[in-house]
């Protein structure tokens, strides 16, 4: 351990007159450098905290206001309207001259005026960011009011905002009216219910509207005024932390490496570069130096979720879990072949270099020691039910070496698994993407610490990936970090010709330390029980990765439609062909234009989508009828796509359905009010759950110049026992990657079959835009579309 390493720097001999202590110069140097680094970090954090705290003003603007006020003391013009004299009269007398008192009064007034101007600018910006009409305008068209609004946003946003500069200016998530939410809900289920069931649901909804809804809404309105965000805290607690079932597969999600490129085949070298890039990202994150994510490059998104990327662990409890976030963790924990190792990330007040990290990881691979009793499958506790894990944690890990080792794991910056197998996409190997996805999602059920904010996974062939715990943040947050890491790894750090990390190696760095465990037989039985349950869940996951390269967003945009709407309608068509009917469909939308916003649901199976799908499935016998039918289908497609875009925009701007109903339901539980309507809504299964993985930092990699440096996105497990989970990422102009999950135990689903249905649906919709007498391939005749 690091303490032991520093201890060997001290030499002492016992003499009759006392102890003669000698200190190693190396230790003194390390202590000095560590102190310098710590103070430098605090200074930078303080400076950036001040910059973000006074944003959109700057500290230098205070000096300008002070100078302006002091200069008026020597003129006959009193810009303070007598306030400076009033302040001077209330200052203590007898301690300063008249001139000093006058100057001090001017400085105090200037400071108050400066603070007032900051808040005026901040609330002006908040008012501007509360305007959302721009998002509902047609693509490529911008009204004069939106142009003026954008100009004002640019003007009030300042020149170089930091990551958290906009936080105080972000508006609160608005609370929709009960009538609007209920009306939208009834509209969303109309196409899914027959007349009798719809009438029953309409009766329940109207009864709720006229009885308990007003009281629940009043309390929720009070919460929306008092809390920063009326949804997010309840969403984290009740959707994630109070769940007692396994989080592996059911909650955690994964992110893949680059699809086609592996910068080096050396496992330890790739891990060294990636870990170092993560440390660079974390340093900028702690200092708030990342640029804020902004829609259109102008409208800021909330950055609060990013605070918990590192040094964060979900701690199990009997009734509910908690999210533990620590600051400035200096180590990570590495798992390899059943052993846990603690690796320190700093030496001499600096991060370990990539080459030094590579050396540390190679030392772990070279270690031939065997796992201690119970150590091999210990992490299976995080993969099983939460209550047994919470009880085992209290009983077996609350003292001694087990407590110390568990604290090392839970307080680490993140968790790293040096896997003992190769994974990744191989076009010559059938199902390679499927196996890669399953490995990232659940692995062997005991070789990922599923409670950590994320587990970084390194394979023997140099491929990487991430398994992410979901309660602390949503996929775009980990995606933002991963984009930075991959770009830094490939284009800034690089490798030698032999595939090793660049840079010299300090061989004096102490080797990784084995974590010690003393796991009794009873605890081992609990571990095995958790493992058996987790293995059953993992073995039931049916995954299929589908690379759709026939066309991408480039061609879809030429058809003057939203790529996301196009894909969602293709999913509806695929679902109908696969299951012979329609189902409640979940698409995740972000609400990060509001402070502490997370997600909202877009109910993609609309009446317009149903009409389009039914039209696509009607058969026409003659060519002329087919041409006419295609025109009708195209018109229905346009209506369905427009409807989907409008639903998505409503969700983004705080006018969604499901988060409002969820909060009303939680409020009804607090007030012990029974609502059959809310019970029915919250119990409805999402048989098709979908999500798009966004690309947020397109400036990091020029895809036109480096077309093979594209990410593969990520995915998640099936939400319903007899349904599908579909994640997709739109990369570049000509590639869409689908990640499809379902359960083998369901006789109704098949992930590969659904992937084939998606491919056919995409092509069938695309064919609507082709002239029937023109059969040239779209790659050679893009002008034939639209």
């Amino acid at each position: 351990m690091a303490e032991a390493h520093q201890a060997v720097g001290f030499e002492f001999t016992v003499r009759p007159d006392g102890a003669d202590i000698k200190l190693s110069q190396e230790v003194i140097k390390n202590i000095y450098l560590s102190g310098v680094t710590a103070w430098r970090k605090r200074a930078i954090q303080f400076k950036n905290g001040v910059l973000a705290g006074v944003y959109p003003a700057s500290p230098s603007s205070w000096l300008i206001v002070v100078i302006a006020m002091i200069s008026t003391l020597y003129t006959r013009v009193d810009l303070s309207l007598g306030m400076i004299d009033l302040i001077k009269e209330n200052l203590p007398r007898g301690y300063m001259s008249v001139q000093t008192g006058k100057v001090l009064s001017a400085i105090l007034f200037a400071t108050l005026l400066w603070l007032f101007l900051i808040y005026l600018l901040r609330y002006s910006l908040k008012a501007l960011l509360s305007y959302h009409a721009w998002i509902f305008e047609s693509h490529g068209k911008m009204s004069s009011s939106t142009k003026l609004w954008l100009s004002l946003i640019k003007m009030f946003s300042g020149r170089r905002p930091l990551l958290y500069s906009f936080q105080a200016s972000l508006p609160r998530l608005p609370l929709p009216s009960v009538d609007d939410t209920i009306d939208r809900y009834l509209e969303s289920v109309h196409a899914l219910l027959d007349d009798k069931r719809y009438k029953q649901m309409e009766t329940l909804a109207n009864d709720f509207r006229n009885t308990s809804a007003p009281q629940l809404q009043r309390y929720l309105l009070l919460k929306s005024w008092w809390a920063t965000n009326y949804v997010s805290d309840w969403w984290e607690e009740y959707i994630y932390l109070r769940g007692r079932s396994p989080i592996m597969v059911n909650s955690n999600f994964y992110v893949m490496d680059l699809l086609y490129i592996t910068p080096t085949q050396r496992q330890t070298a790739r891990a060294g570069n990636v870990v170092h890039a993560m440390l660079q990202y974390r340093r900028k994150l702690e200092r708030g130096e990342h640029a804020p994510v902004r829609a259109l490059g102008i409208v800021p998104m909330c950055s609060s979720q990013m605070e918990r990327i590192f040094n964060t662990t979900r701690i199990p409890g009997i009734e509910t879990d908690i999210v533990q976030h620590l600051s400035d963790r200096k180590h990570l924990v590495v798992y390899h072949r059943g052993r846990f190792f603690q690796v320190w990330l700093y030496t001499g007040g600096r991060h370990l270099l990539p080459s030094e990290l590579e050396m540390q990881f190679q030392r772990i691979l070279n270690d031939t020691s065997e796992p201690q009793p119970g150590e091999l499958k210990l992490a299976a506790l995080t993969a099983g039910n939460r209550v047994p894990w919470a009880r085992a944690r209290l009983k077996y890990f609350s003292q001694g070496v087990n407590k110390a080792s568990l604290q090392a794991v839970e307080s680490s910056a993140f968790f790293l698994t040096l896997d003992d197998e190769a994974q990744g996409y191989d076009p010559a190997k059938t199902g390679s993407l499927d196996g890669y996805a399953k490995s990232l999602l659940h692995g062997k059920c005991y070789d990922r610490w599923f409670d950590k904010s994320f587990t970084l996974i390194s394979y023997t062939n140099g491929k990487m990936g991430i398994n992410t715990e979901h309660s602390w943040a949503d996929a775009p947050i980990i995606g933002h970090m991963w984009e930075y890491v991959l770009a830094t790894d490939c284009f800034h750090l690089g490798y030698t010709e032999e595939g090793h990390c660049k840079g010299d190696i300090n061989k004096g760095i102490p080797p990784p330390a084995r974590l010690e465990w003393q796991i009794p037989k009873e605890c081992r039985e609990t571990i095995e029980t958790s493992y058996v349950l987790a293995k059953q869940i993992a073995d039931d996951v049916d995954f299929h990765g589908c690379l759709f390269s026939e066309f991408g967003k480039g061609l879809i945009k030429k058809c003057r439609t939203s790529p996301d709407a196009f894909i969602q309608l293709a999913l509806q068509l695929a679902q109908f062909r696969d299951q012979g009917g329609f189902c409640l469909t979940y698409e995740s939308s972000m609400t990060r234009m509001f402070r502490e916003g997370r997600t909202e649901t877009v109910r993609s199976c609309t009446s317009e989508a149903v009409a389009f799908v039914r039209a696509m499935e009607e058969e026409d016998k003659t060519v002329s009828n087919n041409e006419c039918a295609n025109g009708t289908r195209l018109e229905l497609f346009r209506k369905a796509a427009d409807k989907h875009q409008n639903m998505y925009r409503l969700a983004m701007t705080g006018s969604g359905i499901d988060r409002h109903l969820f909060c009303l339901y939680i409020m009804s539980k607090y007030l012990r009010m029974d609502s059959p309507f809310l019970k029915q809504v919250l119990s409805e299964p999402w048989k098709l759950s979908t999500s798009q993985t966004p690309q947020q930092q397109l400036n990091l990699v020029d895809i036109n110049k480096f077309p093979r440096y594209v990410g593969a996105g990520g995915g998640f497990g099936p939400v319903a026992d007899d349904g599908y989970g579909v994640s997709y990422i739109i990369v570049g102009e000509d590639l869409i990657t689908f990640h499809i999950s379902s359960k083998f135990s369901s006789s109704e689903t098949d992930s590969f079959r659904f992937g084939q249905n998606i491919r056919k649906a995409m092509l069938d919709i695309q064919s609507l835009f082709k002239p029937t007498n023109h059969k040239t391939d779209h790659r050679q005749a893009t002008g034939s579309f639209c």
Side-chain angles (χ1 to χ4, degrees), residues 673-694:
M673 297 173 62
D674 186 60
S675 172
F677 170 70
L678 291 176
K679 281 184 179 179
Q680 177 66 27
V681 171
L682 271 294
S683 65
E684 293 170 343
W686 302 97
K687 288 194 175 183
L688 180 58
S689 184
T690 70
S691 178
Q692 180 184 168
T693 303

Side-chain angles (χ1 to χ4, degrees), residues 664-679:
L664 289 171
Y665 177 76
I666 298 299
M667 192 66 75
S668 73
K669 289 298 182 182
Y670 277 121
L671 298 176
R672 291 182 169 84
M673 297 173 62
D674 186 60
S675 172
F677 170 70
L678 291 176
K679 281 184 179 179

Side-chain angles (χ1 to χ4, degrees), residues 531-729:
Y531 168 70
V532 170
L533 174 61
K535 188 73 164 55
Q536 290 174 350
I537 295 172
D539 289 345
D540 197 24
V541 176
D542 176 18
F543 245 102
H544 177 59
C546 175
L547 299 181
F548 185 85
S549 56
E550 284 82 348
F551 60 87
K553 71 176 181 181
L555 185 142
I556 294 173
K557 285 184 175 180
K558 289 180 180 178
C559 298
R560 300 190 303 278
T561 192
S562 157
D564 185 70
F566 188 104
I567 293 170
Q568 284 292 325
L569 289 171
L571 290 174
Q572 289 301 316
L573 181 55
Q575 167 72 19
F576 185 83
R577 289 171 174 174
D578 190 88
Q579 299 292 308
F582 300 97
C583 68
L584 197 60
T585 304
Y586 184 112
E587 181 188 6
S588 180
S589 161
M590 65 89 185
T591 56
R592 287 173 60 208
M593 288 191 295
F594 304 98
R595 192 163 185 181
E596 294 186 10
R598 291 198 61 164
T599 61
E600 177 58 274
T601 303
V602 181
R603 293 173 167 244
S604 302
C605 188
T606 61
S607 297
E608 290 81 359
V610 168
F612 164 69
V613 170
R614 292 196 184 281
M616 287 293 290
E617 293 303 277
E618 291 177 355
E619 294 187 7
D620 301 288
K621 296 180 179 180
T622 65
V623 174
S624 59
N625 282 343
N626 188 54
E627 291 177 1
C628 182
N630 277 350
T632 303
R633 290 165 179 158
L634 185 56
E635 183 179 353
L636 290 171
F637 171 84
R638 297 283 190 201
K639 289 180 180 179
D642 290 343
K643 177 66 174 182
H644 179 269
Q645 283 184 274
N646 187 60
M647 293 281 289
Y648 200 97
R649 290 161 175 166
L650 286 170
M652 287 181 65
T653 53
S655 297
I657 300 168
D658 290 276
R659 299 301 179 267
H660 186 200
L661 292 175
F662 162 76
C663 288
L664 289 171
Y665 177 76
I666 298 299
M667 192 66 75
S668 73
K669 289 298 182 182
Y670 277 121
L671 298 176
R672 291 182 169 84
M673 297 173 62
D674 186 60
S675 172
F677 170 70
L678 291 176
K679 281 184 179 179
Q680 177 66 27
V681 171
L682 271 294
S683 65
E684 293 170 343
W686 302 97
K687 288 194 175 183
L688 180 58
S689 184
T690 70
S691 178
Q692 180 184 168
T693 303
Q695 289 186 285
Q696 304 167 81
Q697 302 170 91
L698 298 176
N699 60 305
L700 293 178
V701 180
D702 186 347
I703 295 181
N704 293 323
K705 188 175 181 181
F706 303 100
R708 293 181 61 80
Y709 284 82
V710 294
F716 52 90
V719 175
D721 290 340
D722 55 350
Y724 292 106
V726 181
S727 176
Y728 53 94
I729 180 171

Side-chain angles (χ1 to χ4, degrees), residues 10-195:
F10 292 86
E11 300 175 5
F12 66 93
T13 56
V14 179
R15 297 182 178 179
D17 57 348
D20 181 20
I21 301 175
K22 298 179 181 179
L23 298 177
S24 165
Q25 290 185 354
E26 183 67 23
V27 171
I28 295 298
K29 178 183 177 182
N30 275 271
I31 291 173
Y32 168 75
L33 292 174
S34 296
V36 170
T37 301
W39 282 106
R40 184 187 297 124
K41 178 180 178 181
R42 288 172 191 162
I44 293 172
Q45 287 177 329
F46 176 79
K47 181 197 75 172
N48 291 339
V50 170
L51 291 174
V54 302
Y55 200 82
S58 64
S60 60
S61 63
W62 172 81
L63 186 60
I64 294 172
V65 175
V66 168
I67 293 173
M69 287 299 107
I70 292 177
S71 64
T72 62
L73 298 178
Y74 303 99
T75 66
R76 295 183 179 180
V77 180
D78 184 7
L79 296 179
S80 72
L81 302 178
M83 291 295 295
I84 292 178
D85 291 334
L86 182 63
I87 294 173
K88 185 179 69 172
E89 291 174 4
N90 288 277
L91 289 176
R93 300 182 180 181
Y95 298 99
M96 62 187 77
S97 65
V98 174
Q99 184 66 19
T100 301
K102 203 169 185 180
V103 171
L104 181 58
S105 299
I107 292 174
L108 289 173
F109 173 76
T111 301
L112 292 173
L113 177 62
W114 180 66
L115 292 173
F116 170 78
L117 292 174
I118 287 175
Y119 279 96
L120 181 62
L121 288 171
R122 188 171 289 172
Y123 280 97
S124 298
L125 183 57
K126 181 179 287 190
L128 288 170
L129 294 175
S130 299
Y131 169 82
H132 296 124
W134 63 273
I135 205 170
F136 292 93
E137 294 182 353
S138 300
H139 183 69
K141 298 180 181 179
M142 188 179 294
S143 65
S144 300
S145 58
T146 297
K147 290 178 181 177
L148 175 61
W149 172 78
L150 284 173
S151 299
L152 290 172
I153 289 288
K154 290 179 181 178
M155 183 175 69
F156 281 96
S157 293
R159 296 178 60 188
R160 300 176 65 182
L162 297 172
L163 179 63
Y164 302 114
S165 293
F166 291 107
Q167 289 301 103
S169 299
L170 291 175
R172 294 172 183 263
L173 181 70
L175 179 66
S177 71
V178 169
D179 286 340
D180 286 347
T181 296
I182 291 178
D183 290 344
R184 289 188 185 118
Y185 170 78
L186 291 174
E187 181 187 4
S188 73
V189 298
H190 201 174
L192 300 172
L193 304 175
D194 57 35
D195 291 342

